[in-house]
Amino acid sequence: LAVLSATDWFRSRPWLRYFATGLFVASMATIKPHLIIGGAVFFVYFVLDTEEKPFDRMDLLKRSLRIAAWCIIGGLIPMLWMAAYLAYYGVLSQFLTILIEYFPLHADINGSHVIFAKNERLWYRFEKFFSTAPWDYYQFAMGLGAGVALYVTEKNMPRNERRYGNLLLALTLIYMFYPVIAARFYDHHYYPFRLFSFVFVAYLFKRWAPDTPTRVKAFAWSMAAFIVIGVFYVHYEELQIQPSRANPYFRTARITQWLKPRLQPGDKVQALEWAFCGSTHALLQTEATPATRTIWGEVLFHHLDNPFVQNLRKEFIAELTASKPRFIIQTKVEYDYVTGSNCSKDFPELDALLTKDYFMAIDSNAFRLWEANASPTAQKDREQFESKAAQLDKEDEDKAPVPVRVLDGRPPMSR
């Protein structure tokens, strides 16, 4: 939408063109703040997109200020809308507190969920930039490179098309560095980059003019064929694979299936995980009432000497004690915890609460589900858990190796 408003819409009303582009760029920033870096590209494009040449420095300054003003006015609308939304629900001050106090802590965690070591960030950004997506998809990288090469070297391109192409190329480059700025090299952080990159990959399929040299057409068509065939070849086996049992879907399904027949209206449930375990999704599916304001448990286990985190822990225990949830789901997935300096999985206050008022109803490889001693189904679920535990112990005994007798200090040759 930002590209369309900048290049195609509102040509007769420049102010509306700048206003709408600012609005769409700022709307992206409400999803991921760093996405606003594309606004710099649009601003430069607007300043240079004029036939009023030559113009002196004062004219350029006035034009730049006018464009910037309309872009900023448009960009303020999504920001103010979001602020009004937060204020309406009474959480604006909390959001600002998180923005100021917690975001710097979150930025201190790398993509592997480990606290940055001292002086590691610069090297981490450099190393990840050259080792992660999109370079690991070599067909995609080759297609992008070939498309850009054809675009840059094409002659006699109409000026308006060249100007439009330069805008897309600049956006491609700026969003290639977006994960570097955020120091987060997740696959979804490359979505904006890929969106614009595919324009240049598609350039290989262009309908070339009759006077285009044969070598150019042959290069474009051969690269296009290589990419299409290569993409299907590389991913064919992957498309046939069924989701593994490690997929969070199965944990969500198990928790949902177990909770649904037990939950009653008004029952409160607390999940402690980051975003991978699947228990928070299960609570959403069962329409369970959250026990506390915390639904992102990762924040309780890193930067433990920070006053913000210490206060967050105290508030969490206070809310948990007051709400007395019927069920608490605690992750065992390693990735749900941050590791490194000043991190820990220990939470003594939570352990004391669980020991006092709860018993373990499920103990799986990925999570533990605790049930309150005062729960209406406590006795039945406790007996069921103990019965299963005894059965597993019996199976372990049956599988235990037979002890070997030692005769005269030597084991028998075979058993």
Side-chain angles (χ1 to χ4, degrees):
L1 294 175
V3 171
L4 286 171
S5 64
T7 61
D8 190 56
W9 298 342
F10 319 122
R11 299 297 294 187
S12 61
R13 295 183 177 87
W15 68 270
L16 186 56
R17 181 186 177 204
Y18 310 144
F19 174 89
T21 305
L23 184 145
F24 292 132
V25 171
S27 296
M28 291 191 295
T30 64
I31 302 170
K32 287 285 185 183
H34 295 85
L35 288 175
I36 205 167
I37 62 173
V41 174
F42 285 108
F43 174 72
V44 173
Y45 174 78
F46 286 144
V47 172
L48 299 178
D49 185 31
T50 178
E51 304 299 334
E52 302 172 13
K53 295 180 181 180
F55 46 82
D56 58 29
R57 292 181 180 179
M58 187 56 66
D59 290 337
L60 180 63
L61 177 61
K62 291 179 180 178
R63 174 180 172 79
S64 300
L65 291 175
R66 185 173 69 254
I67 293 172
W70 280 115
C71 288
I72 291 171
I73 293 172
L76 283 174
I77 292 178
M79 302 300 180
L80 294 174
W81 183 277
M82 185 175 70
Y85 174 86
L86 294 169
Y88 177 81
Y89 286 101
V91 294
L92 180 59
S93 62
Q94 292 174 355
F95 174 79
L96 293 175
T97 300
I98 291 172
L99 192 69
I100 296 168
E101 297 188 31
Y102 179 69
F103 273 26
L105 304 183
H106 185 66
D108 197 32
I109 305 170
N110 68 26
S112 300
H113 245 200
V114 180
I115 300 293
F116 280 113
K118 187 177 181 181
N119 301 324
E120 181 194 13
R121 294 188 191 211
L122 182 60
W123 171 250
Y124 177 82
R125 285 182 166 94
F126 181 81
E127 188 269 333
K128 285 291 184 182
F129 176 73
F130 288 102
S131 64
T132 55
W135 318 117
D136 50 351
Y137 301 105
Y138 66 90
Q139 296 97 342
F140 171 72
M142 290 180 68
L144 171 59
V148 171
L150 287 170
Y151 166 74
V152 172
T153 58
E154 183 173 357
K155 300 177 181 179
N156 303 321
M157 181 181 290
R159 185 180 178 188
N160 61 331
E161 287 187 22
R162 178 67 71 181
R163 191 180 294 172
Y164 177 65
N166 289 342
L167 170 64
L168 297 182
L169 183 58
L171 289 168
T172 304
L173 292 174
I174 199 76
Y175 284 120
M176 180 174 68
F177 289 99
Y178 159 64
V180 178
I181 297 171
R184 292 290 189 277
F185 295 87
Y186 301 128
D187 194 62
H188 59 274
H189 285 188
Y190 284 96
Y191 288 171
F193 168 69
R194 287 182 181 150
L195 170 67
F196 295 110
S197 296
F198 282 130
V199 174
F200 292 97
V201 175
Y203 203 78
L204 300 172
F205 298 85
K206 176 177 175 169
R207 182 177 297 173
W208 300 96
D211 58 346
T212 303
T214 304
R215 64 179 183 276
V216 174
K217 297 182 195 176
F219 174 75
W221 294 337
S222 60
M223 285 300 300
F226 168 77
I227 291 166
V228 171
I229 296 171
V231 166
F232 282 99
Y233 174 77
V234 169
H235 296 287
Y236 178 76
E237 289 187 1
E238 185 178 330
L239 293 172
Q240 313 308 311
I241 297 174
Q242 296 297 320
S244 69
R245 300 301 291 184
N247 191 302
Y249 166 82
F250 296 102
R251 292 195 285 281
T252 299
R254 183 179 180 189
I255 296 170
T256 301
Q257 186 179 18
W258 195 89
L259 285 178
K260 264 192 175 179
R262 290 170 172 79
L263 281 176
Q264 299 174 0
D267 282 345
K268 296 178 180 178
V269 186
Q270 177 64 45
L272 273 168
E273 64 171 0
W274 175 55
F276 193 74
C277 183
S279 54
T280 302
H281 192 188
L283 304 191
L284 182 66
Q285 289 186 344
T286 56
E287 300 183 7
T289 302
T292 71
R293 292 177 296 172
T294 302
I295 59 171
W296 196 358
E298 173 218 19
V299 301
L300 301 170
F301 299 96
H302 65 85
H303 292 90
L304 297 181
D305 62 350
N306 187 277
F308 176 82
V309 176
Q310 292 174 353
N311 186 59
L312 203 64
R313 279 190 160 207
K314 291 177 183 177
E315 288 182 355
F316 174 73
I317 292 298
E319 291 179 11
L320 201 64
T321 303
S323 65
K324 299 185 184 333
R326 185 176 169 189
F327 302 104
I328 296 177
I329 307 169
Q330 191 176 28
T331 182
K332 290 169 68 176
V333 178
E334 289 294 325
Y335 198 68
D336 280 353
Y337 296 94
V338 178
T339 57
S341 175
N342 201 24
C343 299
S344 175
K345 295 181 183 178
D346 297 332
F347 199 158
E349 296 83 357
L350 175 63
D351 293 339
L353 180 66
L354 293 173
T355 302
K356 178 185 175 184
D357 297 327
Y358 292 83
F359 68 93
M360 198 181 303
I362 295 180
D363 187 12
S364 77
N365 291 331
F367 65 91
R368 291 188 179 98
L369 195 151
W370 301 82
E371 185 171 355
N373 294 328
S375 168
T377 56
Q379 183 176 351
K380 178 182 175 182
D381 290 337
R382 190 194 300 270
E383 292 174 354
Q384 188 178 28
F385 177 78
E386 291 174 351
S387 175
K388 285 185 178 180
Q391 183 181 353
L392 290 173
D393 290 342
K394 180 66 169 59
E395 291 176 358
D396 289 341
E397 290 178 5
D398 294 340
K399 294 177 183 177
V402 178
V404 177
R405 289 188 303 152
V406 177
L407 304 175
D408 299 327
R410 296 173 298 170
M413 294 297 292
S414 63
R415 189 70 181 168

